Amino acid sequence: MRPKKHRTTGSGDLFRARLDQIINMKHELVQLAGKVDWDWIDGEIAPLYSENGRPGIATRFVIGLLLLKHIYGLSDEGVCERWVHDPYFQYFTGEEFFQHAFPHERSDLSHWRKRLGDKLELLLAESLRVAHEAGALRGQDLKRVTVDTTVQPKAITFPTDAKLLHAAIKGLNRLARKHGVRLRQSYLRIAKTAAMMAGRYAHAKQFKRHQRQLRILRSRLGRIIRDIHRKIEGQTVLENAFALPLGRASQIRSQQQRQRGWKLYSFHAPEVECIGKGKAAAPYEFGVKASIVTNNRRAPGGLFVLHARALPDNPYDGHTLRDVIDRTETLTGCAIERAYVDKGYRGHDAQNPRRIFISGQKRGVFGVIKRELRRRSAIEPIIGHLKTDGHLGRCYLKGRAGDAANVILSAVGHNFRRILAWLRELLCLFLIQLWRTRALSGSAHFRLLNGRPPSITVAFVAGF
């Protein structure tokens, strides 16, 4: 059933404290809560629910938690724990009175992420709308953009052959215990020792001994695979349950270190890809490629992420540009006049190639275009902020759906951080102006009463 409607009584309570009476109503989170269109978000999410069953959790509560998580770079458990003792978090999620216990389960955030799916782009569109309404982003800033790609690493260990073989042995043993399949031998102790010694021999450059340990791991994994096939033969339920894990284990056992073509880099996360971006510190990264679009010219509130999307299967950057520009125009509702990209987009498939300018290009680059092309590199620190301040630096969500959700929510968190900084700056400017006005009026009143210039302190405050 669709989520409950958020309601407030507006009346006091003898035994509970109202949040609007104990917090600063000029705080940036309070102002942001008033600018977000919660009713519109609720109306867009409502079709994802049926009309029957138990009512879902209020939309503002869960969406507010997701926004707070990615604004402050918290985990699911961390945002739920902070919600209990932070009244501003509770007000942002729609609470009227201060609560002393978290009213729901942490797993509700995971269920909502899965249910929203592609609808998460609504939050990105809402962040841009709020930024435009607050004056941090102007319409003219959406016409000239910068496009770049980066890698969103997955939460896996570095995939060596020994680690993968050991992980496959442990995974098959764990699955066999779960389904009650009794193996002739688990080989867990032997596999652990062999994986440890393989790493030590490789570090010491004793590669013959290293290869001997790998052969031990491969032979033991093959024995487990054959033993499971014998035990589950003819049992349809068990064959279906073991089909994917056995396929992954067979792939890990057969693949070689320097083979060409598709390889498996994680037993529990088969969607992980090996991506090389030419970095000296990290020649290869394991995760998924992500496309980021920002405004080229700095808006009053800074650089905002106009579009973000995961690009599975590691496509060539130039072959994604047309789709990225089309999706950005759909999301912002503004046609893109010029787009600036790096040399990785050479040979792109954009619909209007004359409006795409590549780094290092000389033909047709002059005046304003030359200055804007120099600003192309400004997207690099934005990607850095997405990784350090947000969750783009390491994805802990499951599957390709989790990769896509993490990219979009990291962009949403960055935009709302810029909006909060803009609101905080506006409040400071307002307070400084108020301070100046009061100081000037006080110094004039002092001059009239005493007939002499104001003191040094009053003059300094008025000048500040």
Side-chain angles (χ1 to χ4, degrees), residues 260-415:
R260 300 184 66 86
W262 181 79
K263 290 180 66 176
L264 196 63
Y265 298 100
S266 175
F267 183 75
H268 73 278
E271 71 277 0
V272 171
E273 301 155 2
C274 179
I275 303 172
K277 298 288 286 185
K279 300 178 183 177
Y284 299 102
E285 296 177 278
F286 299 92
V288 66
K289 184 179 286 188
S291 173
I292 307 296
V293 182
T294 65
N295 47 304
N296 181 266
R297 180 182 178 184
R298 191 183 190 279
L303 293 181
F304 289 84
V305 178
L306 307 182
H307 181 263
R309 184 191 176 201
L311 302 172
D313 300 326
N314 191 13
Y316 174 62
D317 291 354
H319 297 163
T320 65
L321 188 58
R322 174 194 286 265
D323 186 52
V324 166
I325 290 179
D326 292 342
R327 287 174 176 265
T328 305
E329 291 177 342
T330 302
L331 190 67
T332 60
C334 181
I336 294 177
E337 294 180 355
R338 291 196 284 265
Y340 300 90
V341 298
D342 60 10
K343 294 180 180 179
Y345 285 86
R346 285 177 294 190
H348 57 78
D349 58 353
Q351 189 172 4
N352 191 356
R354 295 185 178 181
R355 297 291 88 192
I356 308 299
F357 297 91
I358 303 175
S359 178
Q361 178 180 339
K362 301 299 182 182
R363 179 176 298 179
V365 176
F366 55 87
V368 176
I369 296 178
K370 187 175 183 179
R371 292 195 298 270
E372 291 177 346
L373 187 58
R374 282 201 298 264
R375 280 197 53 84
R376 188 217 62 82
S377 58
I379 194 174
E380 302 297 343
I382 301 304
I383 294 175
H385 284 299
L386 288 171
K387 293 190 174 184
T388 55
D389 301 336
H391 288 280
L392 194 68
R394 197 166 180 85
C395 178
Y396 294 90
L397 305 183
K398 183 179 179 181
R400 288 192 172 180
D403 292 338
N406 195 68
V407 171
I408 296 176
L409 289 174
S410 298
V412 173
H414 172 80
N415 287 347

Side-chain angles (χ1 to χ4, degrees), residues 18-87:
R18 287 181 58 87
L19 288 173
D20 55 6
Q21 296 176 354
I22 62 175
I23 64 176
N24 178 16
M25 297 303 290
K26 294 181 180 179
H27 191 272
E28 55 266 18
L29 268 182
V30 178
Q31 297 184 44
L32 180 60
K35 293 182 179 297
V36 177
D37 193 348
W38 302 106
D39 293 333
W40 177 77
I41 296 176
D42 183 69
E44 294 293 327
I45 293 176
L48 301 177
Y49 287 83
S50 67
E51 297 296 332
N52 303 321
R54 188 181 67 177
I57 306 172
T59 302
R60 177 171 178 177
F61 184 87
V62 183
I63 298 298
L65 277 181
L66 288 175
L67 295 181
L68 291 171
K69 171 190 173 179
H70 287 272
I71 288 173
Y72 293 96
L74 304 172
S75 62
D76 286 356
E77 294 81 3
V79 70
C80 296
E81 180 181 355
R82 184 169 171 180
W83 185 91
V84 176
H85 58 75
D86 196 326

Side-chain angles (χ1 to χ4, degrees), residues 113-165:
R113 272 192 298 262
K114 293 178 183 178
R115 184 182 293 270
L116 289 175
D118 296 337
K119 291 284 186 178
L120 286 172
E121 285 196 351
L122 297 173
L123 301 181
L124 187 57
E126 179 65 12
S127 68
L128 298 176
R129 188 199 65 82
V130 173
H132 184 268
E133 181 183 345
L137 184 65
R138 301 165 299 188
Q140 60 187 4
D141 298 322
L142 306 175
K143 297 179 180 180
R144 299 168 187 178
V145 301
T146 302
V147 186
D148 199 3
T149 59
T150 185
V151 179
Q152 176 184 247
K154 197 75 169 182
I156 64 169
T157 184
F158 190 86
T160 62
D161 290 342
K163 288 181 182 178
L164 289 174
L165 292 167

